[in-house]
Each structure stands twice: as structure tokens, then as C-alpha cells.
Amino acid sequence: MIGFWMRSAIFGLTLQLVVGAAGVWAGPPTEIVRQVIERALDALKEPGSSPQARRQKVKRIVDPYFNYQEMAKRSLGPNWGKLSPGQRQEFVALFSQLLEASYSDKIEKYAQNVRIDYTGEIPSGDTVEVRTVVVKANDRIPLNYRLMDEGGTYKVYDVIIEGVSLVSNYRSQFSRIIHESSYTELVKRLRTKVSELTRTG
């Protein structure tokens, strides 16, 4: 499970890094991603505030632009349809807690000396993929955001890190646990993981 948790951490970090414009044409989805990153960076630079206060401010900035329910639904795949409304609500809340716990203690560390190049966006129906490259020292990491058009407002529902879909990665892990044990066991493991990350964060 190490790779799984590491990718979830990378997912959280990459939306909150220093911005460097690539000089390419950008539509509304790209501008949304760009503006969220810039606002998050400003929050991280805020003088006189504690790390916890900065993290909470970044969370308030980022959360409205992520469709956690869609991410959780896609991550569970066919198993989502087997859940009651109450279970779905519980899982979405747990899923968002997992993402936050996975990256909150690493945001400031990875936000130093980083540039994000925006390399274009590819529309497909009511979705669009915003393509970026995270540039740090001698490293270049392709990072793409998939957004859905929700009545004129675009929200992220998946992140592609070096060609690997975060949602697909979660889905394979979640499906294996449910198949080998049960949905109840999956929830138990996720709660344990969130608790561990929160204690060490």
C-alpha cells in the first residue's frame, strides 16, 4: 500500500505549489487551477500565522474546487451503487479526510522553489484535462487535472500524476480490499490510516 499512500500525498501537494506561467493559451479551467494555486501560495506565505492555521486556510481555498463526491464515487467503482445514501455520505467525508491527512503536513516543505508550467487543456464533452508540469531543481513531473463542468463551474474529479490516475489507483486498491474482505473492512482501514496520519502530522 506504500505507493498508494504516497500518490495520495503527491496529489494533495501538487495543487498548492508555486506558479510559473508557461505562456500558452489557457481557457477557464486552466485559469481556475492557476488562481487556486496562486491563492494557496499566498496563504502559505502569510506571516505570523501558525502552520496549522495556514493549512486550514489552504484547505478552505482548495475544497470548493474539488468534487470529492465524484472522486469517491469513481474510486469505489461498482461498489458505490451498493451503498446506502448514509454510507455514501460517510464515505465521501472519510475520503476527503484521507486526502487532507495525507498531504497537510507536507505542503510547506514541497512548496519551496517549485514552478508549475501550464502546457494546455484538452476538452472532451463536459470534462476537460488541464495539463501542467511541476518543475523543481532537475526534476520535471507531468501532472494533469481532470475537471467537470458543473453548470459553468469547473471542479477537479481526478489527478493524473506521471501518467497514473489517482482515482484509478484508489479504485484498484479499494476493490482489492473489498474483494478480499468487505466494504466494512475498507472503511476500518481508511479510518485507521487517517488516524495514523493525523497523529504523525
Side-chain angles (χ1 to χ4, degrees):
M1 298 284 286
I2 293 178
F4 165 63
W5 300 118
M6 285 299 293
R7 287 190 179 281
S8 66
I10 292 172
F11 151 74
L13 297 169
T14 49
L15 189 60
Q16 301 160 60
L17 303 176
V18 180
V19 177
V24 298
W25 178 87
T30 299
E31 288 307 312
I32 288 174
V33 173
R34 189 196 309 271
Q35 289 171 23
V36 170
I37 293 174
E38 290 177 342
R39 290 175 58 201
L41 177 59
D42 288 342
L44 290 174
K45 289 182 175 180
E46 193 171 272
S49 59
S50 67
Q52 183 61 28
R54 289 194 292 269
R55 292 169 189 170
Q56 287 301 313
K57 187 167 184 178
V58 169
K59 175 178 167 58
R60 290 194 295 271
I61 292 169
V62 172
D63 277 359
Y65 298 95
F66 274 76
N67 188 332
Y68 291 113
Q69 176 165 315
E70 187 67 23
M71 294 182 77
K73 176 182 177 180
R74 290 172 181 254
S75 294
L76 275 184
N79 293 293
W80 176 265
K82 302 175 184 178
L83 303 184
S84 67
Q87 287 177 313
R88 291 178 180 178
Q89 184 176 6
E90 175 190 45
F91 186 79
V92 172
L94 179 58
F95 186 84
S96 62
Q97 290 168 16
L98 169 66
L99 295 178
E100 178 187 357
S102 296
Y103 69 75
S104 62
D105 65 322
K106 304 178 182 67
I107 293 174
E108 293 180 79
K109 174 183 176 182
Y110 283 86
Q112 303 301 317
N113 303 315
V114 173
R115 185 179 85 243
I116 296 182
D117 289 344
Y118 297 88
T119 59
E121 61 181 53
I122 301 176
S124 178
D126 61 352
T127 68
V128 62
E129 183 170 304
V130 175
R131 296 191 168 182
T132 75
V133 177
V134 179
V135 183
K136 180 168 183 169
N138 296 320
D139 201 12
R140 293 176 61 85
I141 304 172
L143 177 71
N144 303 330
Y145 300 91
R146 288 179 177 169
L147 300 89
M148 302 179 69
D149 183 355
E150 300 182 2
T153 299
Y154 286 92
K155 292 189 177 183
V156 175
Y157 70 92
D158 196 8
V159 180
I160 314 301
I161 306 168
E162 294 185 298
V164 178
S165 161
L166 187 84
V167 165
S168 294
N169 199 22
Y170 273 110
R171 185 164 56 240
S172 64
Q173 297 290 335
F174 291 172
S175 295
R176 180 178 61 79
I177 295 172
I178 293 173
H179 177 72
E180 294 177 354
S181 185
S182 64
Y183 171 76
T184 300
E185 177 63 19
L186 170 63
V187 170
K188 178 181 177 181
R189 293 191 192 185
L190 294 183
R191 289 195 184 284
T192 298
K193 191 63 184 180
V194 168
S195 179
E196 291 174 351
L197 290 168
T198 302
R199 286 199 303 270
T200 58

